[in-house]
Amino acid sequence: MFPIHRPRRIRKNEIIRKMVRETSLSPDDFIYPLFVTFGKNTRKEIKSMPGCYQESADNIVKHAKEVYSLGIPAVILFGIPEHKDETGSGAYDPKGVVQNAIKAIKNKVPELYVITDVCMCEYTTHGHCGIIKKGDVMNDPTLNLLAKEAVSHAKAGADMVAPSDMMDGRVRAIRIALDSEGFSEVPIMSYAAKYASAFYGPFRDAAESTPQFGDRRSYQMDPANRREALKEVRLDIEEGADIVMVKPAMTYLDIILDVRNAFDIPVAAYNVSGEYSLIKAGAKLGWIDEKLLMMEVLTSIKRAGADLILTYFAKEAAKILNK
Ligand code: PBG
C-alpha cells in the first residue's frame, strides 16, 4: 500500500515551497536598536555584541541613513549619557544624548520612524530603572520622571515612546503627560510582558546599565509565569498602550502567541542582546550557520504572532530579504 498523503509533494522545490509558505518576513517588520553616546565622531564596538556600536549623534545619523536605505522603517534609541546621577537627570535633559540624536536624525533622515526607550537605568548611578529609597525601587515617584523623559523625547521629535522600566502605572502616567503637553498623537509601545532575563547581559554592557546592587526581579516578571503576562498586557492596554511588547522573544514564543490570541492590538517582540550574541558566538566558533539560524529565529518569532520585531539582526536580515 502506498501512502495517499504525501506532504513531501509540496516541498519538492523552492518554487512550490515559496507558494505555500505560511510566514514571510519583511524589512518592514523590523525595528533596529541604536546606542547613542556623547561626544563627536565616536564609534565604539560593543565587545559582547559584534556589529553593534555606541555612537555619538553625528555617527548615529550616518547609521540611521544606512538603516533607512535598507528598507527598515524604524529605529529605537538607547542613551549612554556622559554623567549619571541618583535620579537619572540625563534621561529628561532637553540637551541629553537621546534628545540630541532624535533632532539630528529627524533633520537628516526625516522619513525614518524614531522610537525612544523610556527608562531610568541607563541614566542612574545605581543602574536601576527607578528612584531608590532604602535599597528599594520606588514605584510612584519614578512615574513622574518617566513621564518627564517621555515628554522630553516627544519635544525633541520622537515619533513613538517605549517605556521599558516595568513600574506599575507608567503607561497611564506617560499618556496623561504626553496629552497635556500637546503630544496626543505620539503612540506608546509598552514593554508590557518584560521578563527578568539573563538574556539582557550583553545589552547591559552596551548601555552601561548593570544594576550596582541586587537585580531587577522586584519589577521585571518571573520567567516561570505565563498567565501573568496577560495581566500585564491587559493593564497596559487599559492604560493606553498602542502596541504591546513581549521580551525576550526566542524563549518566550508561548507568551507571544498568548498575547496575539488574547488581544487585538499590534504585538512587538524584542529579540534581545543575549539572543543575538549567542548566535554571533556560535558562528564565531564555527558551530552553527549564522545566516540560516538568524532567519529561522526571526521567522519563528513572526510565526508565533509578532507583528514587529526589535532585533540587532535587522540590517543583516534586511540585506538577505532585499536580494
Ligand atoms: C532598559 C532595557 C533593557 C533592555 C531594553 N531596555 C535592559 C534591562 O532591562 O536590563 C534589554 C535589551 C536587550 O537585552 O537587548 N530597562
Side-chain angles (χ1 to χ4, degrees):
M1 232 355 231
F2 295 111
I4 295 171
H5 297 290
R6 291 183 185 270
R8 290 184 55 190
R9 286 188 195 112
I10 54 169
R11 284 182 210 139
K12 193 170 173 63
N13 58 40
E14 185 55 16
I15 302 172
I16 183 65
R17 286 195 295 269
K18 248 188 184 165
M19 289 164 66
V20 298
R21 190 158 291 148
E22 298 175 34
T23 307
S24 59
L25 281 174
S26 149
D28 281 333
D29 303 330
F30 302 144
I31 297 169
Y32 186 65
L34 288 171
F35 298 98
V36 194
T37 187
F38 51 91
K40 267 210 164 101
N41 201 20
T42 303
R43 188 168 200 249
K44 213 169 99 197
E45 187 164 28
I46 298 151
K47 250 194 9 226
S48 53
M49 299 174 69
C52 297
Y53 304 85
Q54 292 182 344
E55 297 169 293
S56 48
D58 48 345
N59 282 331
I60 285 282
V61 169
K62 291 182 200 153
H63 207 158
K65 276 187 190 152
E66 183 200 351
V67 172
Y68 184 71
S69 73
L70 289 168
I72 299 161
V75 292
I76 181 163
L77 302 180
F78 295 92
I80 304 119
E82 188 165 12
H83 304 289
K84 303 187 185 224
D85 57 30
E86 281 290 298
T87 53
S89 56
Y92 40 87
D93 177 354
K95 293 200 165 67
V97 280
V98 165
Q99 290 80 352
N100 285 341
I102 301 167
K103 285 182 217 152
I105 296 173
K106 279 292 159 192
N107 191 20
K108 290 280 163 47
V109 206
E111 306 88 351
L112 186 69
Y113 198 83
V114 177
I115 306 170
T116 58
D117 183 82
V118 173
C119 195
M120 305 308 296
C121 64
E122 298 128 65
Y123 305 93
T124 52
T125 37
H126 46 71
H128 276 288
C129 303
I131 296 293
I132 301 290
K133 208 169 160 188
K134 291 189 193 132
D136 202 9
V137 179
M138 304 304 291
N139 194 87
D140 298 7
T142 301
L143 299 181
N144 297 328
L145 300 184
L146 293 167
K148 249 167 100 171
E149 182 181 5
V151 167
S152 89
H153 291 169
K155 279 188 179 155
D159 292 296
M160 181 189 281
V161 294
S164 68
D165 52 283
M166 287 298 277
M167 298 300 118
D168 294 331
R170 91 274 206 214
V171 173
R172 180 162 177 270
I174 290 171
R175 187 70 273 157
I176 291 171
L178 286 174
D179 290 357
S180 64
E181 297 278 346
F183 299 107
S184 56
E185 286 173 15
V186 172
I188 299 174
M189 172 167 71
S190 76
Y191 288 66
K194 176 173 178 180
Y195 287 87
S197 171
F199 279 105
Y200 308 151
F203 173 93
R204 293 178 188 170
D205 284 347
E208 299 172 7
S209 64
T210 306
Q212 298 304 300
F213 64 90
D215 52 45
R216 302 210 203 288
R217 284 185 284 186
S218 77
Y219 42 106
Q220 299 180 349
M221 286 177 58
D222 184 337
N225 292 357
R226 183 170 175 180
R227 289 188 303 265
E228 193 186 15
L230 295 181
K231 177 170 89 177
E232 282 284 4
V233 169
R234 185 179 316 112
L235 292 174
D236 281 8
I237 294 175
E238 282 168 11
E239 290 179 28
D242 299 279
I243 299 175
V244 286
M245 191 199 299
V246 174
K247 177 181 173 195
M250 261 166 74
T251 42
Y252 295 82
L253 295 178
D254 53 338
I255 310 301
I256 296 173
L257 174 67
D258 285 352
V259 171
R260 167 73 295 146
N261 286 340
F263 302 100
D264 55 6
I265 72 171
V267 178
Y270 202 140
N271 176 218
V272 300
S273 57
E275 300 174 316
Y276 173 83
S277 302
L278 279 179
I279 293 177
K280 287 284 173 191
K284 204 168 164 187
L285 286 167
W287 290 353
I288 47 104
D289 182 320
E290 178 180 350
K291 287 197 165 68
L292 284 178
L293 192 48
M294 163 180 83
M295 296 311 274
E296 183 176 330
V297 164
L298 295 172
T299 303
S300 304
I301 295 168
K302 181 110 186 260
R303 189 197 62 227
D307 302 292
L308 298 163
I309 306 172
L310 296 92
T311 180
Y312 305 98
F313 284 122
K315 291 192 297 171
E316 289 164 82
K319 281 177 194 159
I320 293 176
L321 295 167
N322 289 335
K323 261 190 206 143

